[in-house]
Amino acid sequence: MIVYGGTLSPFVRKTLAAAAEKGIEVESKPTRFGQPDPEFDAVSPFRKIPALRDGDFTVCDSSAIIHYFEATKPEPALIPAEARERAMVIWFDEFADTIMVAAAGPMFFNRVVAPLLKMQGDEEAAKKGEKALEPVLDYLESLAPEPGEFLVGGKLSLADIAVASPFANLRHLQFDLSRWPRTMAWSEAMLARPSFAAMVARESKMFGR
Ligand SMILES: N[C@@H](CCC(=O)N[C@@H](CS)C(=O)NCC(=O)O)C(=O)O
């Protein structure tokens, strides 16, 4: 199986961490922003990352890919069967993909990605994102588990992986999380898991850290 997209994307990182937690071997294939690439275009019609190829099957969107992993290799489960737990896992996945990334994304793009691409970042948009992130972190602080524990049902799930992934982007931004100590400790423990650690360390090297 091939997962297309560079791991600086929280969605790609989440997908690869989920594969690692499930013991699914995937080849990670970064794509080049804005460059023509017929192989990638065939898999991702809107050029969004991540995208997956498994033989003659292709699909994009991190959640769709992880649901595919879950159905093809049910154990260890990342999406619980019990109704309330499953609903909460889907909520945290959606919360991370939309509310969290909508806030952190503009900061990351304009302060980190734009300079890498030799583009002028939009600092106003980054500041707006920073403001929008505060209630998101307040919400997480109100429910953050102890480090090494999990958001739903006392067990690692897609919820933890999806919510932890954008914290690597905040790390690359050198974003100060000290106002949210429980969230900081929990997210650091998640990013220290083998499923994330080597990937995030490789990303950090891109920034000379
Ligand atoms: N809901 C999608 C979001 C995918 C997405 O927006 N990826 C961004 C990278 S973080 C992307 O491909 N951006 C390139 C573009 O919009 O052209 C998922 O979960 O995979």
Side-chain angles (χ1 to χ4, degrees):
M1 276 194 254
I2 303 173
V3 172
Y4 293 88
T7 69
L8 285 181
S9 157
F11 305 111
V12 175
R13 189 185 302 111
K14 164 190 150 189
T15 303
L16 293 175
E21 293 286 355
K22 289 187 74 65
I24 295 176
E25 261 190 51
V26 296
E27 180 188 343
S28 164
K29 226 177 195 185
T31 51
R32 275 175 301 160
F33 189 77
Q35 305 277 321
D37 180 346
E39 182 184 334
F40 172 56
D41 293 352
V43 180
S44 187
F46 299 98
R47 297 186 65 81
K48 296 276 186 196
I49 53 171
L52 173 88
R53 175 176 287 284
D54 184 14
D56 62 357
F57 175 70
T58 65
V59 70
C60 32
D61 188 278
S62 57
S63 301
I65 296 169
I66 294 168
H67 278 261
Y68 180 71
F69 291 161
E70 193 76 359
T72 52
K73 186 172 187 293
E75 295 297 333
L78 291 180
I79 301 171
E82 196 278 325
R84 293 180 181 191
E85 289 182 1
R86 181 180 294 194
M88 288 312 293
V89 166
I90 302 303
W91 151 245
F92 280 117
D93 183 36
E94 191 62 20
F95 160 76
D97 284 5
T98 57
I99 298 171
M100 269 186 92
V101 173
M107 265 197 289
F108 191 69
F109 184 82
N110 291 297
R111 292 179 182 162
V112 173
V113 180
L116 280 180
L117 297 174
K118 315 250 182 287
M119 284 166 59
Q120 180 70 42
D122 177 348
E123 185 49 28
E124 272 315 297
K127 281 200 180 119
K128 257 196 202 160
E130 197 167 345
K131 201 87 209 119
L133 191 61
E134 288 184 11
V136 171
L137 293 172
D138 290 344
Y139 169 70
L140 283 177
E141 190 68 7
S142 73
L143 47 79
E146 290 298 312
E149 292 182 8
F150 305 107
L151 286 164
V152 180
K155 204 170 163 276
L156 179 78
S157 73
L158 171 58
D160 306 291
I161 295 168
V163 172
S165 183
F167 280 96
N169 298 78
L170 294 180
R171 181 181 291 179
H172 301 323
L173 277 158
Q174 299 188 292
F175 186 88
D176 181 9
L177 283 170
S178 54
R179 272 175 58 197
W180 300 276
R182 291 177 58 86
T183 306
M184 179 163 70
W186 175 82
S187 62
E188 280 175 2
M190 274 303 300
L191 295 182
R193 291 178 72 86
S195 54
F196 277 110
M199 187 160 53
V200 176
R202 271 194 303 276
E203 296 168 20
S204 294
K205 275 202 182 140
M206 292 171 66
F207 308 109
R209 293 186 207 117

